[in-house]
């Protein structure tokens, strides 16, 4: 019996583009903030952001996720005017300089920011708050674009106190389904929804282990899945549990190898989109998955 399973056959459309999610896609992270936990301040100038986007595209990213608000634990809320100043010029510059083929996702919970980014050329709304802010679901319905709904409890300032579950996988599925029902009730099209189990948000080490090992259960929700664990604290906890001093690191970038392994494991369980800081490394893993998957269908 083959260990390699095809991804669920979903497609997403935005403007005149079609995203085939029966194939894996790498979402490169582009933080245009001064305070993101891993790369804050590195790409908060437009020229640096465009150059990094170009590099990630060359390395294999088919989606670029642009964020103007840090959502790390205990992060403070950013004013909408500030988020607009960070995000919209970058979207405009990417479209002007790099064209329209690359999919642009906006990591925001603000309907105002998303509308402005859409008008500048963005394609996807990635909302860690799952459209809970006032007017967000209605704006998503109006824009009629792909929406990523992430599981989180509370806010970045309170989420770590809300990590109590009876069965984390079942509870995440139930809470995601509740959001799906809520947003579709106000006009968001089900076929526009991508789910995100929310690694790093309102979950501890044990919860992450359970969720990653049983990620395939989320396929029963009948929607495509995005997986984002890149450089998060759970990966440092995994490495520290080896007992080897070599792995005792607090530097987020030094978690890329184990994060890539986690991404490959998620891909094998049905996640179509892998969100990462290190696109080239993830692309190597995806290339291996593609070739082994093809071989399992047509063994010599």
């Amino acid at each position: 019996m083959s260990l390699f399973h095809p991804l669920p056959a979903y497609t997403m459309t935005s403007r005149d583009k079609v995203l085939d999610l029966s194939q894996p896609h790498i979402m490169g992270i582009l933080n245009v903030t001064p305070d993101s936990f891993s790369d804050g301040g590195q790409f908060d100038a437009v020229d640096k952001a465009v150059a990094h986007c170009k590099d990630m595209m060359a390395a294999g990213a088919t989606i670029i996720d642009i964020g103007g608000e840090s959502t790390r634990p205990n992060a403070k809320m950013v004013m909408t005017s500030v988020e607009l100043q960070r995000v919209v010029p970058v979207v405009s510059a990417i479209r002007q300089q790099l064209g329209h083929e690359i999919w642009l996702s906006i990591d925001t919970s603000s309907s105002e920011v998303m509308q402005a980014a859409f008008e500048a050329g963005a394609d996807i709304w990635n909302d860690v708050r799952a459209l809970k802010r006032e007017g967000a679901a209605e704006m998503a319905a109006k824009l009629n674009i792909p929406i990523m709904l992430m599981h989180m409890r509370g806010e970045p300032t309170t989420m770590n106190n809300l990590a109590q579950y009876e069965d984390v996988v079942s509870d995440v599925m139930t809470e995601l389904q509740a959001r799906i029902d809520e947003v579709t009730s106000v006009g968001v099209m089900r076929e526009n929804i991508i789910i995100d189990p929310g690694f790093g948000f309102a979950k501890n080490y044990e919860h992450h282990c359970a969720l990653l090992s049983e990620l395939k259960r989320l396929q029963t929700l009948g929607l495509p899945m995005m997986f984002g664990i890149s450089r998060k604290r759970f990966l440092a906890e995994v490495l520290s549990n080896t007992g080897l001093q070599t792995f005792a690191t607090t530097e987020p970038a030094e978690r890329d190898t184990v994060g890539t392994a986690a991404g490959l494991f998620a891909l094998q369980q049905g996640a179509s989109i892998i969100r990462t800081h290190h696109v080239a490394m993830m692309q190597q893993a995806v290339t291996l998955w593609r070739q082994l998957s093809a071989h399992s269908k047509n063994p010599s």
Side-chain angles (χ1 to χ4, degrees), residues 5 18 38 54 82 84 115 125 182 194 239 262 275 291:
H5 309 290
V18 178
S38 170
K54 186 176 181 180
V82 172
L84 284 165
Q115 182 174 27
W125 189 345
E182 181 69 23
I194 300 166
L239 295 177
R275 184 177 182 271
Q291 293 182 22

Side-chain angles (χ1 to χ4, degrees), residues 1-19:
M1 182 177 177
S2 173
L3 294 174
F4 291 87
H5 309 290
L7 290 170
Y10 299 110
T11 58
M12 290 279 157
T13 60
S14 185
R15 304 178 195 274
D16 59 349
K17 294 187 291 194
V18 178
L19 191 66

Side-chain angles (χ1 to χ4, degrees), residues 47-122:
D47 58 342
K48 291 180 180 179
V50 173
H52 189 48
C53 177
K54 186 176 181 180
D55 289 344
M56 290 192 288
M57 290 170 62
T62 50
I63 307 169
I64 302 296
D65 191 39
I66 304 168
E69 177 191 16
S70 174
T71 52
R72 72 188 190 285
N74 300 312
K76 296 224 171 108
M77 202 174 291
V78 173
M79 291 178 60
T80 299
S81 58
V82 172
E83 196 177 351
L84 284 165
Q85 290 168 7
R86 292 174 179 174
V87 170
V88 176
V90 171
V91 174
S92 298
I94 290 172
R95 286 298 181 227
Q96 291 168 8
Q97 298 179 42
L98 303 179
H100 290 265
E101 183 176 349
I102 186 72
W103 287 72
L104 296 183
S105 165
I106 306 301
D107 185 354
T108 185
S109 296
S110 166
S111 57
E112 186 176 342
V113 170
M114 189 62 234
Q115 182 174 27
F118 174 76
E119 291 170 357

Side-chain angles (χ1 to χ4, degrees), residues 10-239:
Y10 299 110
T11 58
M12 290 279 157
T13 60
S14 185
R15 304 178 195 274
D16 59 349
K17 294 187 291 194
V18 178
L19 191 66
D20 179 8
L21 295 176
S22 69
Q23 298 297 316
H25 290 269
I26 298 173
M27 173 187 272
I29 298 169
L30 180 54
N31 289 320
V32 292
T33 58
D35 59 342
S36 291
F37 78 96
S38 170
D39 53 5
Q42 293 185 32
F43 310 112
D44 56 353
V46 173
D47 58 342
K48 291 180 180 179
V50 173
H52 189 48
C53 177
K54 186 176 181 180
D55 289 344
M56 290 192 288
M57 290 170 62
T62 50
I63 307 169
I64 302 296
D65 191 39
I66 304 168
E69 177 191 16
S70 174
T71 52
R72 72 188 190 285
N74 300 312
K76 296 224 171 108
M77 202 174 291
V78 173
M79 291 178 60
T80 299
S81 58
V82 172
E83 196 177 351
L84 284 165
Q85 290 168 7
R86 292 174 179 174
V87 170
V88 176
V90 171
V91 174
S92 298
I94 290 172
R95 286 298 181 227
Q96 291 168 8
Q97 298 179 42
L98 303 179
H100 290 265
E101 183 176 349
I102 186 72
W103 287 72
L104 296 183
S105 165
I106 306 301
D107 185 354
T108 185
S109 296
S110 166
S111 57
E112 186 176 342
V113 170
M114 189 62 234
Q115 182 174 27
F118 174 76
E119 291 170 357
D123 305 293
I124 299 171
W125 189 345
N126 177 20
D127 187 2
V128 300
R129 296 176 178 87
L131 304 179
K132 289 180 183 176
R133 284 189 176 169
E134 184 177 355
E138 291 78 6
M139 178 59 70
K142 175 184 173 184
L143 296 178
N144 192 29
I145 57 175
I147 310 290
M148 295 181 178
L149 298 181
M150 193 194 78
H151 176 271
M152 177 172 66
R153 290 176 172 178
E155 289 284 334
T157 52
T158 62
M159 62 185 179
N160 286 343
N161 299 323
L162 301 173
Q164 294 95 29
Y165 302 91
E166 291 293 326
D167 174 337
V168 65
V169 183
S170 294
D171 291 349
V172 166
M173 291 173 62
T174 298
E175 292 169 29
L176 277 173
Q177 185 61 61
R179 289 307 304 149
I180 294 163
D181 293 343
E182 181 69 23
V183 302
T184 54
S185 74
V186 297
V188 174
M189 303 297 290
R190 181 179 173 84
E191 54 265 34
N192 281 341
I193 297 174
I194 300 166
I195 57 170
D196 174 358
F199 285 86
F201 292 84
K203 297 165 189 76
N204 63 27
Y205 170 80
E206 296 295 337
H207 299 144
H208 284 118
C209 286
L211 195 54
L212 183 54
S213 64
E214 299 185 64
L215 200 60
K216 62 183 179 295
R217 286 173 55 189
L218 273 71
Q219 288 193 44
T220 61
L221 293 174
L223 291 166
M225 189 189 331
M226 189 270 276
F227 176 79
I229 204 170
S230 183
R231 298 186 179 176
K232 291 184 178 176
R233 184 180 61 186
F234 166 66
L235 302 174
E237 293 171 336
V238 169
L239 295 177

